[in-house]
């Protein structure tokens, strides 16, 4: 999770992945912690405790591993560490730019670089508007490298009634990009009662 608005997308994705039985390795940038505080009221000083509380004990029972942004020696910084892929949700334009230029200045950008070099799926959910030419060029560069760009642009064909419906649509699109079967939003042409 980085410092772009839309922390709820990252929170919801973590909750869904945990519910599906995945072990989640979480990195939150310093700006990401600021956004978590501003958008959700999460306290940024007791980080491990807060994450453990908000994700129903997932750290304590070893379903989630939290890595400090500065821990460049963490497991996820190595290509020999086995994982199924990486999602950066939400992804700030600064993080997107660092990844596009190969600047591995912290654990998050190093893990993204490793994901690319190992040929594993990398998905990013950029959240910025309007976009300038630099943003678009960086996204194009990453797309050409095989990165899945899933902009935080919710659809309305599914008749969302709540903010959760909109968030679940975006998280569902990320899960689709990860190849995870789910039913957290109503797909095009799907009756309401089949969700």
């Amino acid at each position: 999770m980085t410092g772009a608005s839309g922390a709820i997308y990252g929170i919801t994705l973590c909750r869904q992945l945990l519910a599906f039985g995945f072990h989640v390795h979480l990195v939150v940038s310093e700006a990401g912690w600021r956004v978590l505080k501003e958008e959700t009221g999460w306290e940024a000083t007791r980080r491990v405790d807060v994450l453990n509380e908000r994700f129903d004990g997932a750290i304590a029972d070893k379903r989630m591993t939290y890595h400090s942004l500065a821990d460049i020696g963490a497991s996820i910084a190595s290509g020999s560490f086995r994982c199924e892929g990486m999602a950066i949700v939400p992804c700030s334009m600064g993080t997107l730019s660092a990844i596009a230029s190969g600047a591995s200045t912290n654990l998050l950008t190093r893990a993204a670089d490793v994901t690319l070099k190992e040929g594993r799926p990398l998905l990013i959910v950029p959240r910025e508007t309007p976009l300038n030419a630099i943003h678009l060029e960086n996204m194009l560069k990453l797309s050409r490298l095989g990165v899945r760009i899933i902009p935080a642009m919710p659809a309305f064909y599914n008749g969302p009634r709540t903010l959760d419906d909109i968030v679940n649509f975006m998280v569902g699109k990320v899960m689709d990009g990860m190849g995870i079967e789910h039913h957290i939003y109503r797909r095009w042409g799907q009756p309401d009662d089949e969700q």
Side-chain angles (χ1 to χ4, degrees):
M1 296 176 66
T2 69
S5 183
I8 191 65
Y9 294 128
I11 293 167
T12 303
L13 178 62
C14 286
R15 286 185 176 144
Q16 288 293 327
L17 292 174
L18 290 166
F20 276 81
F22 290 95
H23 184 97
V24 175
H25 287 263
L26 179 64
V27 180
V28 182
S29 71
E30 289 303 315
W33 279 106
R34 172 72 185 262
V35 172
L36 278 166
K37 183 175 192 262
E38 297 293 329
E39 292 184 353
T40 67
W42 286 23
E43 186 181 331
T45 55
R46 302 174 15 254
R47 294 176 179 185
V48 173
D49 292 337
V50 167
L51 291 171
N52 202 42
E53 290 167 13
R54 299 296 179 141
F55 292 116
D56 300 321
I59 293 175
D61 62 20
K62 304 204 183 310
R63 294 178 296 127
M64 175 184 275
T65 302
Y66 171 67
H67 300 280
S68 166
L69 185 67
D71 187 5
I72 203 71
S75 57
I76 61 173
S78 173
S80 66
F81 179 75
R82 305 293 293 167
C83 69
E84 296 184 49
M86 179 177 182
I88 304 173
V89 184
C91 185
S92 68
M93 289 301 141
T95 298
L96 191 146
S97 174
I99 295 166
S101 67
S104 299
T105 58
N106 59 46
L107 179 58
L108 197 145
T109 53
R110 170 62 184 163
D113 186 57
V114 166
T115 301
L116 282 172
K117 82 178 183 70
E118 296 297 326
R120 297 179 185 134
L122 176 60
L123 298 89
I124 61 173
V125 177
R127 221 300 315 145
E128 185 66 73
T129 192
L131 297 168
N132 67 39
I134 296 169
H135 302 152
L136 295 168
E137 287 172 1
N138 285 333
M139 283 189 261
L140 179 60
K141 182 177 183 179
L142 290 175
S143 180
R144 287 181 172 154
L145 293 171
V147 176
R148 296 289 305 269
I149 311 290
I150 305 171
M153 298 176 179
F156 294 91
Y157 61 76
N158 56 349
R161 295 183 191 101
T162 67
L163 182 58
D164 283 344
D165 292 339
I166 293 169
V167 169
N168 286 340
F169 174 83
M170 287 308 311
V171 169
K173 295 300 280 184
V174 174
M175 292 173 70
D176 287 346
M178 296 173 146
I180 299 170
E181 185 64 35
H182 65 85
H183 301 285
I184 65 170
Y185 73 90
R186 187 173 66 82
R187 297 179 184 281
W188 176 253
Q190 179 184 22
D192 284 338
D193 60 349
E194 290 184 17
Q195 183 178 355

